[in-house]
Amino acid sequence: MDYIRAFLVGGVICAVVQIFMDKTKWMPGRIMVGLVVLGTVLGAVGLYPPFLEWAGAGAGVPLLGFGNTLWKGVREAVDTDGFLGVFTGGLTAAAAGICGALVFGYLASLIFKPKMKE
């Protein structure tokens, strides 16, 4: 049942974002930044952790989950390092995801020979 719930929650999040992309004139980059910020805000006010526990990977994998991961890293770093943690915590918490995105994006560019759109 956990797999079905995760699939449905992730699908609903993606469907809502797709509808938002189709019905507004916002560029995809702005929508993605908005999702990260929304995940950060929901984590800061304490709404995202219970949602994440209930929905599992369906809520943790999309960009909302990335924003929540950044928030958790900043909160923990501020608790241990003080003000400097504001700048280091998010990068430390999300380092594996950021590194994976860079490495796999580079490997995909080697395999598929990307070109600029004309």
Side-chain angles (χ1 to χ4, degrees):
M1 190 63 184
D2 291 338
Y3 295 122
I4 294 170
R5 186 181 312 129
F7 177 76
L8 291 175
V9 169
V12 167
I13 291 171
C14 291
V16 168
V17 170
Q18 185 64 49
I19 291 168
F20 194 78
M21 289 174 67
D22 292 343
K23 299 296 180 185
T24 67
K25 295 183 186 241
W26 281 30
M27 300 299 290
R30 290 185 180 180
I31 294 171
M32 291 185 340
V33 168
L35 288 170
V36 172
V37 170
L38 181 62
T40 303
V41 170
L42 290 175
V45 298
L47 295 176
Y48 205 79
F51 176 61
L52 182 60
E53 187 176 326
W54 177 78
V61 174
L63 288 171
L64 292 169
F66 181 69
N68 185 52
T69 300
L70 292 175
W71 162 251
K72 287 191 307 188
V74 167
R75 185 185 64 216
E76 291 171 7
V78 167
D79 290 343
T80 58
D81 301 332
F83 182 71
L84 187 60
V86 171
F87 303 106
T88 61
L91 293 176
T92 303
I98 293 170
C99 181
L102 290 172
V103 168
F104 291 118
Y106 178 71
L107 291 175
S109 73
L110 292 176
I111 295 169
F112 295 106
K113 306 291 182 204
K115 295 182 251 179
M116 296 295 291
K117 287 186 176 182
E118 294 181 24

